[in-house]
Structure formats: C-alpha cells, structure tokens
Amino acid sequence: MSEKTFLEHIQKGYKHQGDEIVLGASIYQDKVHSDALVRLPLKTFNRHGLIAGATGTGKTKTLQILAEHLSHKGIPSLVMDLKGDLSGLGASGTQEDFIKERHQKIGVEYTPNAAPLEFLSLSEEKGIRLRATVSEFGPILLSKILSLTDVQSSIMAVLFKYCDDQKLPLVDLEDLKKVLNHCITDGKEEIQSAYGSMSPVSVNTIIRAIVQLEQQGAAKFFAEPSFEVNDLMQTREGKGVISVLRLIDIQSKPRLFSTFMLSLLSEVYNTFPEKGDLDKPELVLFIDEAHLIFDNASKVFLEQLEAIIKLIRSKGVGIFFITQLPTDIPQEILSQLGMKIQHALRAFTAKDRQSIKLTAENFPLTDFYNTDELLTSLGIGEALVTALDENGVPTPLVATYMRAPMSRMDVLSAQEINEITKQSNLIEKYSKEIDAQSAKEILSKKIDEAQSEEHQKQIKEEHKKASKTVKKKSVFESMSKNTMVRQIGRTVVREITRGLLGALGIRSTSRRKKWF
Ligand SMILES: Nc1ncnc2c1ncn2[C@@H]1O[C@H](COP(=O)(O)OP(=O)(O)O)[C@@H](O)[C@H]1O
Ligand SMILES: [Mg+2]
C-alpha cells in the first residue's frame, strides 16, 4: 500500500469532533509520520482500555502520559502504583535530548509539566489511608470476597439485617466476628427465634474465612473513617488531581487487593450519578500490573468485576488495565476494553508465540501491517493502537511512536513525596483512625449488663409483664428500649438474593451514617 493511502487512512480514522489526547505519530514503513497523528477521543475513555507489552517496553510511561494529559484537561484519575514508579507524575519532566528528539519526530512541542497529586495508601505508606467499614462493604460483597457458599452468604445477610435492626454498627472485622459468635452463643435463642436457625458449623466456617482475610492485612482496611470516593474527584487550578495509590507491599496480599478493588468500584458505582453520554470521562482508573488481580482470582470475583466494568461506563468512569500479555485478562473482561495500546511482545517460548498470535487475531484487520511480526519488532515507547471513535467504531490499527511524559520519568524522592503529602487537602480528614463504639463494644456491654443481677431482676419483671400480654420479649428487646426486633422472613431473603445491584443497594441502606 502506498504511503499516501496510509496517511489518508489514519488522518480519516483519527479525526474527532470533540476533545482528544495526542498520543504520538503513526509509523509506516519504518518512518514516523508527523502528518498522521494518533489522537484518542476523550469521549470514549469511559469505554475502558488495555495497555499491554513485555517488561520495559513503555507501558507505565504510556499510563503516565494518559493520566497527565487527562489531568491537564481537568479530568481526575486514580492510578494504582504497584511498583512505586508513578510518583514522577508530580514533578515536571526535563528537556533531555532524547525527549526533544522524540518530540521533533512527532512534530508536537515538548512542554514539561507536573500534575497535582494526592497520595493514597492501604497500609503504612505515605498518604491518605483508605478504609471502609464492614457495614458499608455489605453482606454480598463480603460473602463473595470470603468465597462463602449460598447458605453461608444468607447467614451473613441475615446477620447484617440483625445488626441494622439492633443498631449495631459493624465497623471492623472484630465486630463481625463478635456478632457471628453471639449468634451461636449468648444471643442464639433470641436471634435464631426471630431470624431463623443458623448452623454453628456454617457460622464457624465464616469466622475462619474472616480470620484468613485478616491474615492478609484486611483488619487495617476495615475501619473508620471510611474513604469517600468523591474525594477522587478533586481539581486544582483547572487540572484534575491524580490520586496515586501506593501499593508496593500489596503483591503478597492478592486477596486484600481484590477486596479493595471491588469495594472501591462498587462504591464508585453507588456514589456517582448516572451520566449517560458525556463528552469526556468524569474519572479514569488505571490499574498497573493488573495481572496481580487476575492471577488466582476466584470466579465470583471475576464475575463481579465484569459486571461492574459494564455498568460503571454510564457513570462516566473508565478503567484501564496495564499488564504484560492481553491473555492475562479473562476474555469476558478483555472484550469490554475499547482502547488497546499494545507495546512489543517477546517470543521466547511456544506459549509466547501462541499469545502473540492470539493477540494479533484480536486486533482489527489491517491492510498496512503484518500484525504478528510488528508485535515483536516494536521499539520502546512504540505501540500498536486502536481506540473507539466517537461513534463507538474501532479506529484503524496504527503503529504509534509515542510522545514522552510531560512529567518526570523518574520517581520522586522521599522528601518530594513528603512535600506533596503536606499540601494535601484531605490528609487531615483521614489521618486518625476513629475508635468508634461499634458492634463489638455494644454487644459486650449488653451481654455484661444482661448478666448483671439488677438486669436479671428487671428482665424477670418484664417477663412477668410480658406473660400477661402473651408476648415473650427477648433480652435484647427489653434492653434496647427504642428498637424492636423486626420479623424479616422472606422479603429480606429476596432482597439479599437479587444480585449485584441489590447488594449494592442493601449496602447503602446499612451505612453507618444513618444510624446516628
Ligand atoms: N514514551 C516514551 N518516551 C520516552 N521513553 C520511554 C517512553 N516509554 C518508555 N520509555 C523508556 O523505557 C523505559 C521503560 O518504560 P516503562 O514504561 O517503565 O516500561 P514497562 O512499564 O513496560 O516495564 C523508561 O524508563 C523510558 O526510559
Ligand atoms: Mg511498568
């Protein structure tokens, strides 16, 4: 095919009405064509994306380029930094010769620029501590994460209902274990008569699953104050704030990471209003080293993720996975990713060659490239790209010579990270863990009280009164004057089993806030 035909093909395929990000220039017959730029329409960033390629081919830099340009256009993003190599987003890049040369070839000016950052963490790393309460997490999500059976999940659901009814806030995993234990010991009669029987074997299995989750560091995650996802939507001086979640120590804790991922996505789904067709995304999430969430992921986790990915689009939220091989990502999820930025792949083994073939087959057909061959011969900072145009039609497959990040390609020093954390508007809000009166304390107190003599007397008296009205009152009812144990029966069970969205709905009704 002639160069002229190629140029026309790319110019036409990458012409958009609305705003866009210029990723780089097209490559054809070993030449970089500055007159056929690769432009990504902002409008379809909510159709999700994939950045793939072998180690060292430029995936993380591509993520950096997308996040900083989104920021520049006022769009905030959340990047999951699993290797600690994204902090450079917070400082300006430098006019080095190789960068200038790259930009000259592309024909776009290089303007060093820093993006406003907020550091977040799930552990002791610098930044805002992300937490969620058990109540907010909700019974269904929790059951999924704990890989509970249907029977065990329904116990969990009833338990949440009981805690709602009794105004027992479930903040941390200690609360949950306490209530579970209570169901088969002191509170057995009272709870099971109102909510149905619960097998001690099942309850103990749930407790063991919770202990396992705690062993991966989840105890610290379930606490107050919980993170409000609207805080991901900050802008400063017109620029979108990039929230960099430092997850360097998460690699050995895949369950904690997937717990967090699901809770975050469902919270975003719950909180953000329906947006319909937007000209640009509201928020974009980048998950670097995404193979970590897919390795050994349970079937339910993948189903939940797939469902959320499909639904979250209409909230204006895009999710980008960054991983080595597209085959790291389950086919159902892969097919939801509209933008594909494929860096070079290496063909060492037979399996590699098979992956390359499969990857090539998944790209749109092209008259201009031999996709298989190109996949192994792309240079660093080059990629095969296809996106969705504003009508949702795939853009032509194009080999792209990528621009360099405007921000620093290296990491920030500890001191620079400190400076950024100091400037944070949110650090104060989330700095202290709240040791709230939650289910564990309340239950312990109630049990103690119930066992005290005075209370025994009081209960006897109440029993006398109650026998007159033929209605037997429970220990809990007699103690908590303003709450009544409600019969739940079938309706709740129906609510509980109505699937993912139902789960999210239930979760929001059991929010702590409503209880006080
Ligand atoms: N767009 C780019 N412009 C200039 N250099 C790049 C670009 N992309 C990658 N590089 C170079 O390649 C190195 C590796 O890139 P990186 O994104 O960390 O790879 P990966 O995440 O795929 O392992 C970078 O440190 C940088 O020197
Ligand atoms: Mg990387």
Side-chain angles (χ1 to χ4, degrees):
M1 289 277 171
S2 77
E3 193 177 294
K4 187 166 166 277
T5 324
F6 170 79
L7 293 178
E8 280 170 6
H9 175 64
I10 298 302
Q11 284 159 354
K12 189 163 159 256
Y14 286 88
K15 195 169 150 198
H16 313 295
Q17 303 286 312
D19 208 356
E20 59 197 10
I21 289 174
V22 175
L23 188 62
S26 55
I27 310 171
Y28 186 56
Q29 293 171 342
D30 297 325
K31 246 175 74 188
V32 176
H33 295 277
S34 57
D35 45 357
L37 295 181
V38 178
R39 309 162 189 273
L40 307 173
L42 287 186
K43 191 174 166 64
T44 54
F45 267 74
N46 69 335
R47 305 286 293 268
H48 314 311
L50 169 76
I51 304 173
T55 306
T57 54
K59 300 181 297 295
T60 303
K61 295 295 164 279
T62 299
L63 184 172
Q64 193 171 343
I65 295 165
L66 294 183
E68 67 185 12
H69 282 270
L70 288 168
S71 163
H72 213 65
K73 291 183 182 293
I75 302 159
S77 56
L78 168 64
V79 305
M80 316 254 175
D81 188 2
L82 283 110
K83 283 193 172 164
D85 51 4
L86 283 159
S87 58
L89 278 160
S92 283
T94 41
Q95 298 266 12
E96 287 177 62
D97 287 346
F98 76 98
I99 293 181
K100 267 194 262 174
E101 217 174 282
R102 194 171 260 269
H103 280 249
Q104 259 157 21
K105 275 194 194 168
I106 301 170
V108 293
E109 208 179 320
Y110 182 71
T111 42
N113 223 317
L117 293 198
E118 191 78 70
F119 286 109
L120 313 176
S121 127
L122 271 177
S123 55
E124 300 303 324
E125 288 273 332
K126 275 258 143 52
I128 293 165
R129 270 291 297 281
L130 293 182
R131 305 178 181 91
T133 67
V134 170
S135 287
E136 284 166 327
F137 213 75
I140 297 214
L141 214 50
L142 205 60
S143 302
K144 304 267 184 218
I145 287 299
L146 296 171
S147 306
L148 301 186
T149 62
D150 286 352
V151 171
Q152 293 157 358
S153 308
S154 64
I155 291 181
M156 189 71 102
V158 165
L159 207 96
F160 269 70
K161 176 68 179 154
Y162 163 74
C163 290
D164 260 4
D165 291 344
Q166 292 291 326
K167 305 207 182 322
L168 292 172
L170 290 170
V171 173
D172 52 30
L173 294 175
E174 288 299 321
D175 293 332
L176 191 58
K177 285 192 295 184
K178 179 83 188 177
V179 176
L180 277 161
N181 203 32
H182 186 66
C183 286
I184 48 170
T185 54
D186 303 316
K188 184 178 168 192
E189 204 177 305
E190 182 249 330
I191 297 172
Q192 301 202 7
S193 66
Y195 297 85
S197 67
M198 291 171 197
S199 117
V201 177
S202 300
V203 171
N204 281 318
T205 313
I206 303 175
I207 295 176
R208 272 198 302 277
I210 296 170
V211 171
Q212 255 180 30
L213 188 65
E214 282 177 322
Q215 280 164 353
Q216 293 213 353
K220 278 202 148 63
F221 174 60
F222 289 104
E224 287 224 281
S226 56
F227 184 71
E228 288 169 34
V229 287
N230 277 326
D231 284 336
L232 295 173
M233 303 297 286
Q234 295 182 84
T235 53
R236 280 181 214 155
E237 290 160 9
K239 283 186 184 178
V241 170
I242 303 176
S243 301
V244 178
L245 174 56
R246 291 169 65 80
L247 291 164
I248 299 136
D249 51 357
I250 207 89
Q251 312 216 2
S252 54
K253 302 166 183 166
R255 197 168 249 198
L256 174 60
F257 187 36
S258 47
T259 304
F260 160 74
M261 276 288 300
L262 271 191
S263 94
L264 181 89
L265 291 176
S266 61
E267 188 67 15
V268 166
Y269 179 76
N270 253 316
T271 312
F272 288 18
E274 202 64 37
K275 281 292 163 107
D277 214 15
L278 291 174
D279 288 337
K280 55 180 196 169
E282 294 279 290
L283 174 74
V284 181
L285 270 58
F286 294 96
I287 307 167
D288 203 359
E289 306 288 332
H291 64 95
L292 284 175
I293 60 165
F294 295 114
D295 289 351
N296 309 316
S298 70
K299 195 166 156 270
V300 259
F301 170 77
L302 294 176
E303 282 167 7
Q304 298 290 300
L305 192 61
E306 188 195 337
I308 293 189
I309 287 172
K310 279 185 187 157
L311 295 166
I312 215 164
R313 216 172 87 182
S314 61
K315 309 267 174 161
V317 179
I319 304 177
F320 280 64
F321 295 97
I322 294 89
T323 191
Q324 298 199 2
L325 289 167
T327 44
D328 291 341
I329 297 179
Q331 188 57 43
E332 297 75 28
I333 292 178
L334 198 59
S335 64
Q336 298 296 319
L337 311 180
M339 189 186 300
K340 297 206 172 97
I341 303 180
Q342 176 67 57
H343 290 269
L345 290 172
R346 306 270 175 254
F348 295 129
T349 64
K351 194 166 169 256
D352 290 344
R353 282 188 289 277
Q354 208 181 359
S355 286
I356 291 168
K357 201 163 162 278
L358 217 75
T359 305
E361 282 167 5
N362 270 315
F363 278 121
L365 291 173
T366 170
D367 296 329
F368 300 95
Y369 303 107
N370 179 342
T371 312
D372 287 35
E373 216 177 276
L374 197 58
L375 276 175
T376 51
S377 61
L378 288 163
I380 291 171
E382 297 175 9
L384 264 175
V385 175
T386 171
L388 293 177
D389 71 12
E390 287 159 313
N391 300 317
V393 179
T395 58
L397 190 65
V398 60
T400 307
Y401 188 72
M402 229 74 98
R403 67 193 308 162
M406 301 188 281
S407 51
R408 188 192 292 173
M409 288 227 255
D410 203 356
V411 296
L412 298 188
S413 67
Q415 197 189 344
E416 285 171 314
I417 292 180
N418 272 344
E419 282 303 312
I420 289 180
T421 358
K422 264 191 226 150
Q423 286 162 19
S424 162
N425 301 324
L426 299 174
I427 202 99
E428 192 67 9
K429 177 172 169 188
Y430 294 108
S431 66
K432 277 215 184 72
E433 195 171 311
I434 300 172
D435 191 13
Q437 264 258 332
S438 54
K440 188 178 157 218
E441 290 84 3
I442 298 172
L443 270 184
S444 302
K445 201 164 149 234
K446 281 189 179 174
I447 294 161
D448 287 350
E449 282 175 4
Q451 282 164 355
S452 77
E453 253 182 84
E454 216 182 281
H455 257 90
Q456 293 297 344
K457 243 192 267 163
Q458 201 184 326
I459 289 162
K460 264 185 211 150
E461 264 173 35
E462 291 210 24
H463 269 211
K464 258 188 234 157
K465 269 189 238 156
S467 59
K468 281 182 201 149
T469 58
V470 200
K471 187 175 168 287
K472 191 170 166 264
K473 273 192 173 183
S474 72
V475 180
F476 270 101
E477 263 183 289
S478 51
M479 284 185 302
S480 44
K481 295 186 183 68
N482 51 1
T483 54
M484 286 283 285
V485 178
R486 270 185 280 149
Q487 282 288 337
I488 45 158
R490 285 172 191 280
T491 45
V492 170
V493 177
R494 209 178 311 127
E495 269 173 34
I496 291 157
T497 50
R498 71 183 173 208
L500 175 69
L501 292 182
L504 303 174
I506 286 181
R507 191 205 50 66
S508 62
T509 62
S510 59
R511 278 192 82 111
R512 177 90 196 277
K513 280 179 203 132
K514 287 187 80 181
W515 290 340
F516 293 96

